[in-house]
Amino acid sequence: MSRVICPLILLLTGLLALVTCPHSKVEESFNLQATHDIFYHGVGPAWRSAIAQQKSESCSEVDDESSDVCNEVTANADLPYDHLQFPGVVARTFTGAFVLSSIARIISVIVPKSIFDLPSHPMAVQFLIRFELLILSWLAHVRLASSLDGYFAKNKQVKSPITPQSIFSYYLLITASQFHIPFYSSRLLPNTFALLLTTHAYAEWFNGRPNRTAIYLVFTTAIFRCDVLLLLFTVGLTMLIRRELRIVQAVTIGIVTGIIGVLITAPLDSVLWQRMVWPEFEVWWFNAVDNRSSEWGVMPFHWYFSNALPKGLLLTMFLVPLAFLNLIGWTKEKPNNNNTMIDHTLLQFFIPTFGFVVLYSFLPHKEMRFIFPALPMFNACAAYGLSKLHVMAVSVRKGAGMSFISKGLYICGLMAVVITMIGSLLFLRLSMENYPGGAAMEHLKNHFEATTEINTPQAPKWEDVHVHIDVAAAMTGVSLFGQRSVTQHYPIQMSKSGYEAENDAKYSSRSFTHLLSEEQSVQGYHVVDTIEGFPSLDKRNLRIVTNPAIYILERDGWLPKEDTTRGTKRKLNWYYIAIALSGFIIAATLGLQKSKTCYSKY
């Protein structure tokens, strides 16, 4: 039963995060906007433009008599791609966005429009694309759990009294109890794509196929995240030392897989960026050579260990060291022949992952998402540690005192998982208030819906409406899907600012009728709605405190002075969800106690 329940718990926690936080922030905006553009416009316009550019280069070498032909060739309409106007600091790959958008387009073709016209529901398309990524991520973690199961069940060199079924279940439960993996499993960050592939790499490693592990890591490095090169180095070095790979074999895999990875990413990205580019090489150069990532903040060397990992693992981090202690041998009347203090079963897998975090600590700029590839291995070790506590609780034979201690430790381990889940739900509740830009777009649509109900000679003409989105709103949830959900109902214009100098729009021209802005006071405009954000926890009063983050402003005189705002939709009571999920986890974990007879021989 737990083999079904535990995967479902992980899926449900990821789905809960997707449903309650449907918007995105700036870190994931590139891939989200890219999925929109590829779904609705395809790659065709970029391909035709690239061909036109090649012809224009040929025209530049032709004499003046052919200038009319050249002008016809080089005349190119503006391409309908967001990234060309808002390119960001460095180029990013479209590979992940292309795959997800292609799946969504196939689904839109398969589903009859008479049943559901997917393209006409932009927010449904956004949900579908993120749900696809969630399913792919979920399958990767289920596969890793199954590989852990197989590693303990089939590997004759592994002499551990735990049952493979328990580590399968505990890995999924521990992963579901944490915040970051379920929350980010549906978010279109390059780090999420990298996490997905590195999880498969770990699964292959536990399955005894190190060559495939190396292939996954090289692909991830070449296409999605160049910083996985550090993990590739530590894992590859371990494989060479343990003679799981030969040097010639490792070099061959690196060169061949790297070339194939570049051939996959570079042509697509070059067409869409309208220039020859290998995105992850540019990212590597930006971070490693120019060292410009420090412009976004610098953290101390120990930050990943003192802040990021404790925040990512919460109380389950106390289960990780138990994976390397031979606890079960201490509780048995007849100790094993190799009854040492250290358990080496997962040490060979953990050390390279730990080394990856250490090497990354030398980079001054640090973020939690940078070490996402390390989390599955930490969780695997935590699951092994909890499995040991489970064995101790049901198989100890050294008297009532030791039995009481063992069962107490096991209950503490379970409570660590439950409390971690409750903490993660609190993080999720805080995150719901973290996307005021996306909420502002929804409120603006509600405002327009109320406006259409006004029947006066001064009613607006939608063709004259021009909405401007400032940087703060664009970085906290406004997406092209959200914009399309408004513009397909109302024929209005929308524009947005960016941190690029050429995208810095000003309000002084009063050419805009509405503003989504972090500024409350703009001359010639008045506030029609305020969106709360900047959430924090008031520990004294045990409540979440928010402050005004984004204002919806309307040009003075655009409408008669009437109250056209609508109430905010009632939100779900997350206390009940926290109780239900926590109870679900307790029931699932305690259900494993039924396997007590499996341990009687120990």
Side-chain angles (χ1 to χ4, degrees):
M1 181 63 70
S2 61
R3 202 170 185 87
V4 176
I5 292 176
C6 297
L8 285 179
I9 293 176
L10 178 57
L11 179 60
L12 287 174
T13 54
L15 188 59
L16 178 63
L18 170 57
V19 172
T20 56
C21 299
H23 304 296
S24 61
K25 296 190 87 170
V26 61
E27 295 88 354
E28 57 201 285
S29 63
F30 169 78
N31 276 307
L32 190 65
Q33 314 294 43
T35 55
H36 169 277
D37 290 341
I38 296 175
F39 180 84
Y40 283 102
H41 307 299
V43 184
W47 178 254
R48 289 189 291 271
S49 176
I51 294 175
Q53 286 185 13
Q54 292 295 323
K55 292 182 178 180
S56 68
E57 292 177 0
S58 300
C59 286
S60 63
E61 301 176 359
V62 182
D63 55 19
D64 293 337
E65 294 179 359
S66 302
S67 59
D68 293 339
V69 177
C70 291
N71 291 333
E72 182 179 353
V73 171
T74 56
N76 181 36
D78 292 336
L79 292 173
Y81 299 118
D82 182 82
H83 65 277
L84 295 180
Q85 182 180 357
F86 302 94
V89 180
V90 291
R92 284 295 185 185
T93 182
F94 290 88
T95 305
F98 179 80
V99 172
L100 297 176
S101 298
S102 299
I103 295 173
R105 295 185 81 172
I106 292 172
I107 293 174
S108 68
V109 172
I110 294 174
V111 177
K113 290 187 177 181
S114 58
I115 297 177
F116 187 76
D117 187 7
L118 183 61
S120 64
H121 296 80
M123 296 309 293
V125 177
Q126 176 176 307
F127 179 88
L128 173 62
I129 286 173
R130 289 187 55 193
F131 183 70
E132 293 168 11
L133 183 57
L134 171 62
I135 293 297
L136 293 175
S137 301
W138 173 69
L139 291 173
H141 288 288
V142 173
R143 182 167 182 248
L144 176 54
S146 298
S147 298
L148 278 168
D149 183 321
Y151 179 73
F152 283 91
K154 301 175 183 178
N155 194 334
K156 296 181 180 179
Q157 296 180 351
V158 176
K159 297 180 180 180
S160 177
I162 72 165
T163 58
Q165 178 64 46
S166 66
I167 197 168
F168 171 91
S169 301
Y170 285 138
Y171 171 80
L172 295 174
L173 285 174
I174 288 171
T175 302
S177 71
Q178 296 166 358
F179 172 74
H180 289 87
I181 289 181
F183 184 81
Y184 284 97
S185 288
S186 65
R187 300 198 163 271
L188 278 70
L189 288 164
N191 311 83
T192 303
F193 292 105
L195 173 61
L196 192 160
L197 291 178
T198 51
T199 303
H200 281 293
Y202 291 140
E204 294 291 0
W205 202 5
F206 283 117
N207 285 335
R209 293 191 283 260
N211 55 334
R212 294 188 183 182
T213 300
I215 290 172
Y216 271 111
L217 293 178
V218 173
F219 262 122
T220 307
T221 303
I223 298 177
F224 292 109
R225 290 291 303 187
C226 63
D227 50 9
V228 178
L229 182 65
L230 298 176
L231 183 61
L232 176 63
F233 170 74
T234 57
V235 171
L237 183 61
T238 301
M239 290 179 175
L240 291 174
I241 293 174
R242 293 180 56 83
R243 297 184 179 179
E244 295 176 328
L245 285 179
R246 299 187 303 275
I247 294 179
V248 174
Q249 186 181 10
V251 172
T252 303
I253 290 174
I255 294 175
V256 174
T257 309
I259 291 174
I260 294 174
V262 173
L263 291 177
I264 290 174
T265 181
L268 175 65
D269 295 326
S270 297
V271 168
L272 285 166
W273 281 107
Q274 298 291 287
R275 62 185 176 88
M276 292 298 297
V277 61
W278 175 15
E280 284 311 300
F281 178 79
E282 285 196 359
V283 174
W284 174 81
W285 191 273
F286 181 87
N287 290 325
V289 180
D290 294 340
N291 195 24
R292 291 186 56 192
S293 63
S294 57
E295 297 174 7
W296 275 259
V298 174
M299 296 293 182
F301 179 86
H302 59 78
W303 185 82
Y304 284 129
F305 298 99
S306 60
N307 188 291
L309 284 173
K311 185 177 180 181
L313 302 176
L314 294 180
L315 291 186
T316 58
M317 70 178 178
F318 294 108
L319 299 173
V320 176
L322 302 182
F324 312 112
L325 298 176
N326 191 11
L327 301 176
I328 301 172
W330 300 347
T331 63
K332 295 172 68 67
E333 292 179 344
K334 295 181 179 180
N336 297 327
N337 294 332
N338 187 24
N339 189 20
T340 61
M341 292 182 60
I342 303 301
D343 186 340
H344 298 84
T345 305
L346 294 183
L347 202 58
Q348 59 179 313
F349 302 101
F350 179 76
I351 289 178
T353 308
F354 187 84
F356 161 72
V357 180
V358 171
L359 290 177
Y360 220 140
S361 298
F362 287 97
L363 190 70
H365 177 61
K366 298 176 177 65
E367 294 186 36
M368 177 69 202
R369 58 192 176 95
F370 292 169
I371 60 169
F372 277 0
L375 295 183
M377 189 59 72
F378 276 85
N379 288 349
C381 294
Y384 186 39
L386 187 55
S387 297
K388 290 182 178 182
L389 296 182
H390 189 170
V391 172
M392 290 170 58
V394 300
S395 65
V396 67
R397 294 181 183 138
K398 280 195 174 183
M402 183 61 73
S403 177
F404 177 78
I405 294 173
S406 299
K407 290 179 179 178
L409 289 173
Y410 178 52
I411 292 174
C412 289
L414 293 179
M415 289 306 300
V417 177
V418 173
I419 295 173
T420 297
M421 168 63 82
I422 295 173
S424 299
L425 287 170
L426 177 61
F427 287 160
L428 180 61
R429 182 61 185 87
L430 288 166
S431 298
M432 288 173 57
E433 308 295 338
N434 231 357
Y435 303 90
M441 187 61 66
E442 294 178 351
H443 285 230
L444 179 66
K445 185 178 180 181
N446 292 340
H447 178 67
F448 286 157
E449 288 175 356
T451 301
T452 60
E453 299 173 1
I454 299 176
N455 188 15
T456 68
Q458 296 176 311
K461 294 182 179 179
W462 294 114
E463 293 79 5
D464 299 330
V465 175
H466 192 172
V467 179
H468 180 72
I469 304 160
D470 78 349
V471 175
M475 293 177 65
T476 56
V478 174
S479 70
L480 294 177
F481 291 104
Q483 291 177 232
R484 183 177 286 268
S485 69
V486 177
T487 57
Q488 71 177 11
H489 289 92
Y490 307 101
I492 65 176
Q493 301 180 64
M494 280 197 180
S495 61
K496 63 182 178 181
S497 292
Y499 49 77
E500 302 91 349
E502 62 272 19
N503 293 320
D504 185 16
K506 303 298 181 183
Y507 305 142
S508 57
S509 64
R510 285 176 56 82
S511 60
F512 307 116
T513 58
H514 295 80
L515 308 175
L516 300 187
S517 174
E518 64 179 336
E519 299 180 27
Q520 181 179 9
S521 178
V522 177
Q523 186 176 4
Y525 295 85
H526 61 276
V527 176
V528 296
D529 206 347
T530 302
I531 314 301
E532 297 286 316
F534 308 118
S536 61
L537 179 63
D538 183 353
K539 298 179 182 179
R540 176 175 297 179
N541 298 313
L542 297 178
R543 64 188 183 94
I544 294 174
V545 179
T546 57
N547 295 290
I550 300 295
Y551 299 92
I552 301 178
L553 299 103
E554 190 171 82
R555 194 171 63 197
D556 294 340
W558 183 75
L559 268 183
K561 293 185 178 180
E562 297 187 23
D563 184 10
T564 61
T565 59
R566 294 185 172 185
T568 305
K569 295 181 180 179
R570 184 178 179 181
K571 295 182 179 179
L572 295 174
N573 193 329
W574 300 111
Y575 299 103
Y576 295 121
I577 293 179
I579 294 171
L581 281 178
S582 299
F584 201 16
I585 286 182
I586 294 173
T589 50
L590 293 181
L592 292 173
Q593 294 265 8
K594 294 181 180 180
S595 61
K596 183 175 180 179
T597 55
C598 296
Y599 301 104
S600 58
K601 60 181 179 180
Y602 301 107

